[in-house]
Amino acid sequence: MNLKYRHELKYMINFHQYYMIRQRLKVLMQPDRHAGPSGEYHIRSLYFDDIGNKALDEKQAGVSDRNKYRIRIYNLEDKVIHFEKKIKRNEFIAKIKEPLTRQMTDQIVAGNAEVLNVPEKPLFAELYYEMKHRLLQPKVIVDYIREPYVCRNGNVRITFDKDLKSGLNQTDLFDPQLSAVRAIDENFIILEVKYDEYLPGYIRDALQLEGLFRQSASKYVICRKFIKMNQWEDQ
């Protein structure tokens, strides 16, 4: 399979930085076509890990080549559901995904791996193996609001991810009353910069990346660590 690898940079910014960067980007980039009238949409992902928490441990150890699995939905709807594999190779990322039905999603979350026993679909076959032999299972819901901008030059995609919440030990993706808990300070926003071969100079200038705090922690790690912290506090 020929994968398309892209650059991915992440930064933790405060609200003032967000406001200034957004104002500059608005004249240089277009809102993503999937964004609603407010320029945003809601993302909820259910992340999976194996019995040894390989994805979590490798990320925290700084392993350069690693994978993550997740089911992702938008705006709490079941019209578009994907099982995704996010692949990290050094400083580059790629993504493989397959669509799911609501029924398949419910079965997978319940632990029924047989719905993934589809040999002609390599990702499903891989997930089936992981669930049967490595006990891959749901670990945490990651919930946030995304404000996305795109640019054709360099195939750039810049997102502001706000109101990051952890679903703690819950796994019902479609629960509108999910008791999610804020996972980072409300004054902080995660800025993600993705592009192919190059980042246009005028966008780089608008971002002023050298003045920002680059961070490596994924939303998955942030939300998993938040669960552990809460469990420790409850003891």
Side-chain angles (χ1 to χ4, degrees), residues 31-175:
D32 184 280
R33 62 186 178 89
H34 297 294
S38 66
E40 302 170 327
Y41 55 81
H42 177 260
I43 292 178
R44 183 175 286 175
S45 299
L46 177 61
Y47 280 81
F48 289 64
D49 212 336
D50 64 20
I51 192 170
N53 288 313
K54 180 181 178 183
L56 178 64
D57 291 345
E58 287 186 346
K59 173 61 179 177
Q60 294 188 113
V63 176
S64 59
D65 294 357
R66 57 185 186 271
N67 306 317
K68 279 188 296 194
Y69 301 104
R70 68 192 179 202
I71 296 177
R72 173 163 287 185
I73 65 171
Y74 302 90
N75 299 322
L76 296 181
E77 298 177 346
D78 58 9
K79 298 176 184 176
V80 177
I81 312 171
H82 285 110
F83 213 137
E84 300 179 345
K85 176 184 180 182
K86 189 173 182 181
I87 304 164
K88 176 84 171 178
R89 297 294 179 266
N90 295 313
E91 294 296 313
F92 300 92
I93 60 159
K95 190 189 297 182
I96 304 170
K97 60 184 180 181
E98 283 283 355
L100 296 172
T101 64
R102 174 65 180 269
Q103 184 177 20
M104 289 177 69
T105 303
D106 292 341
Q107 289 291 310
I108 293 166
V109 173
N112 180 12
E114 292 305 317
V115 296
L116 293 169
N117 190 9
V118 187
E120 63 271 22
K121 293 190 175 182
L123 178 58
F124 282 173
E126 178 180 334
L127 290 164
Y128 178 72
Y129 176 87
E130 292 287 328
M131 290 184 74
K132 296 290 285 188
H133 299 282
R134 298 185 62 87
L135 302 185
L136 189 78
Q137 59 184 316
K139 292 291 184 175
V140 67
I141 286 177
V142 175
D143 188 281
Y144 56 95
I145 302 296
R146 169 163 284 179
E147 180 181 342
Y149 295 89
V150 296
C151 175
R152 185 173 299 176
N153 295 334
N155 190 25
V156 180
R157 180 175 176 81
I158 295 176
T159 57
F160 299 100
D161 293 338
K162 317 167 190 176
D163 199 22
L164 177 65
K165 294 180 180 179
S166 169
L168 300 178
N169 295 309
Q170 302 162 95
T171 58
D172 185 354
L173 271 168
F174 302 97
D175 181 3

Side-chain angles (χ1 to χ4, degrees), residues 197-213:
E197 286 76 17
Y198 70 100
L199 181 63
Y202 60 91
I203 294 180
R204 186 179 293 275
D205 291 342
L207 290 168
Q208 297 181 356
L209 299 179
E210 64 279 358
L212 302 180
F213 169 61

